[in-house]
Amino acid sequence: MGGRVSARAMKLSEYLNKKPVVKVLCFGEGKTGKTTFVTDVFNLIDKGYHIIYIDCDKSMNIIFNQAAKFKHLDKVDYFQLRDEQHITILPFVNALISKCDFYYNEHTGEVVNDARLLKNRSQFTCIHASRIDEHTIIILDSLTAFAESMFNKLREKQLYVMGSFDKDKLYNGQVQQYYGVLSTEFFEFLDRLSNLAASVFVISHTKTVERKNKAGEVIERKIYPLSTTINASEALSKYFDECLYFYSRAGKYYVSAQATSEVCGIGGRQLEPKIYQSSELTPSIILQKYNHRLNEAPIHDIKLIESETPEPASSSVIALTSNKLTL
């Protein structure tokens, strides 16, 4: 008989001793406080967290206006991604949440998974995504831009010319031959995101869909987090622990954790289902609801970005190596 390999099951106490990870979706129209809300996680750097900010939505001006409030911003790994000649957002985010080490060219946006494929290694930075752990908080700003990148990928695959690709028709399921492909790829992404051993705050814009009668009157109005398709937007809440809707009324800002008939996908597992004023809810409060102990702790530096150029060996190292080889 061949030898048996026995796998030891982890005890519940081992899971409970780990820092729990939380996935939060923040959606709403522009200028409703979503980016301001998520940047509050910068206050957690001196609590032992490492922050990765993926900016696909040109949010630097908002971050700049908030910067004076925070310490240790030099510890934030900030990536400004864009989809231009190279489709950058999709491969970068996929590689990061898959915890695969990869190479990134900041100037061209190129992402390479294998060092053997690099033509000019000096132009690339190695991103050690395999080092991401439960002490990490990732901000994806925004899911809408990521979905746009998926649309671009589909357009490129189908050889669409610019202007002939109607995303609204695809979003509403009117282009059935590509609807399923896009949904499948997006759900695979959400699966990886939900299983990632790091807390994640995701920003999304909204899409309003209206149903009218024959007279042209609106009989139903639904607001969705904007992703790839209606099907995907309706299912988003299954992949997040908390789904928060941001909106403003009469100059005041609110965050809703309470399900409504008009807004699709609000709700969660730990937050009280109600409408909060913007000052009443922060990422820190959410993390504490999930038993994160936000005590003072040493700064946790995972060194996600690290130089790949080997340092020149010192004479002592060379001598030690020679001695080992002699022995």
Side-chain angles (χ1 to χ4, degrees):
M1 289 180 64
R4 291 184 177 179
V5 179
S6 58
R8 185 183 72 84
M10 286 188 69
K11 302 298 183 184
L12 178 59
S13 59
E14 293 180 82
Y15 281 105
L16 294 176
N17 287 331
K18 287 187 172 184
K19 191 183 290 291
V21 296
V22 186
K23 308 297 189 299
V24 181
L25 176 66
C26 308
F27 69 101
E29 294 189 10
K31 299 181 180 179
T32 53
K34 302 183 298 296
T35 303
T36 301
F37 173 83
V38 298
T39 53
D40 191 67
V41 301
F42 296 157
N43 285 318
L44 298 174
I45 296 173
D46 58 3
K47 307 294 185 183
Y49 291 85
H50 183 90
I51 312 299
I52 302 170
Y53 198 111
I54 305 172
D55 183 4
C56 315
D57 222 15
K58 300 179 181 178
S59 298
M60 176 50 71
N61 289 337
I62 301 173
I63 298 170
F64 182 82
N65 291 335
Q66 304 290 324
K69 301 190 304 184
F70 307 115
K71 300 182 294 183
H72 309 303
L73 289 181
D74 58 316
K75 299 295 182 182
V76 177
D77 283 327
Y78 174 82
F79 300 97
Q80 191 172 54
L81 306 183
R82 63 203 182 280
D83 269 7
E84 292 178 356
Q85 187 174 7
H86 299 275
I87 297 181
T88 305
I89 297 172
L90 190 65
F92 186 97
V93 175
N94 275 331
L96 189 74
I97 68 171
S98 298
K99 295 193 68 175
C100 300
D101 292 350
F102 62 97
Y103 296 84
Y104 172 58
N105 187 323
E106 183 181 1
H107 302 290
T108 66
E110 190 176 359
V111 174
V112 178
N113 293 319
D114 192 335
R116 291 172 295 181
L117 302 176
L118 296 177
K119 295 179 180 178
N120 189 343
R121 186 163 180 159
S122 64
Q123 295 180 357
F124 286 80
T125 301
C126 185
I127 311 296
H128 294 280
S130 59
R131 299 177 183 177
I132 291 173
D133 60 15
E134 67 271 14
H135 299 276
T136 307
I137 299 176
I138 299 174
I139 299 170
L140 176 57
D141 184 4
S142 64
L143 187 67
T144 307
F146 182 81
E148 183 82 15
S149 188
M150 296 196 80
F151 281 124
N152 290 342
K153 177 186 175 185
L154 181 62
R155 173 169 38 207
E156 189 177 73
K157 276 187 174 180
Q158 304 304 327
L159 300 177
Y160 278 97
V161 295
M162 190 64 68
S164 65
F165 188 77
D166 193 334
K167 291 183 295 184
D168 282 336
K169 286 185 178 180
L170 181 57
Y171 184 85
N172 292 313
Q174 298 172 34
V175 187
Q176 296 295 334
Q177 64 266 41
Y178 308 123
Y179 182 92
V181 174
L182 198 61
S183 288
T184 300
E185 290 189 6
F186 190 67
F187 285 134
E188 289 175 356
F189 158 74
L190 290 174
D191 277 327
R192 292 196 303 276
L193 186 71
S194 62
N195 291 316
L196 181 65
S199 293
V200 183
F201 287 80
V202 177
I203 294 175
S204 176
H205 300 292
T206 56
K207 172 78 173 182
T208 302
V209 177
E210 295 179 342
R211 191 162 63 92
K212 300 180 180 180
N213 59 19
K214 293 181 178 179
E217 299 169 331
V218 176
I219 58 176
E220 185 182 43
R221 184 172 180 266
K222 293 282 286 185
I223 298 173
Y224 295 90
L226 184 55
S227 59
T228 51
T229 62
I230 288 284
N231 185 30
S233 295
E234 289 177 334
L236 276 176
S237 58
K238 296 191 297 186
Y239 296 90
F240 290 89
D241 300 299
E242 302 291 340
C243 295
L244 307 174
Y245 177 60
F246 289 70
Y247 65 98
S248 61
R249 293 286 186 276
K252 294 184 179 180
Y253 296 92
Y254 301 93
V255 183
S256 176
Q258 184 176 17
T260 70
S261 59
E262 185 178 74
V263 184
C264 176
I266 305 177
R269 294 175 171 82
Q270 293 293 334
L271 287 177
E272 183 182 348
K274 69 174 190 177
I275 296 174
Y276 299 82
Q277 290 192 18
S278 59
S279 58
E280 295 178 320
L281 191 62
T282 65
S284 299
I285 292 173
I286 294 175
L287 292 174
Q288 286 175 320
K289 289 284 186 181
Y290 285 83
N291 297 317
H292 280 240
R293 299 175 181 87
L294 304 183
N295 300 322
E296 290 290 338
I299 293 174
H300 181 67
D301 192 352
I302 64 172
K303 293 183 180 177
L304 190 74
I305 305 173
E306 196 169 57
S307 173
E308 286 294 298
T309 306
E311 296 180 1
S314 64
S315 57
S316 60
V317 172
I318 294 172
L320 181 60
T321 304
S322 300
N323 288 337
K324 283 186 176 180
L325 290 173
T326 302
L327 290 173

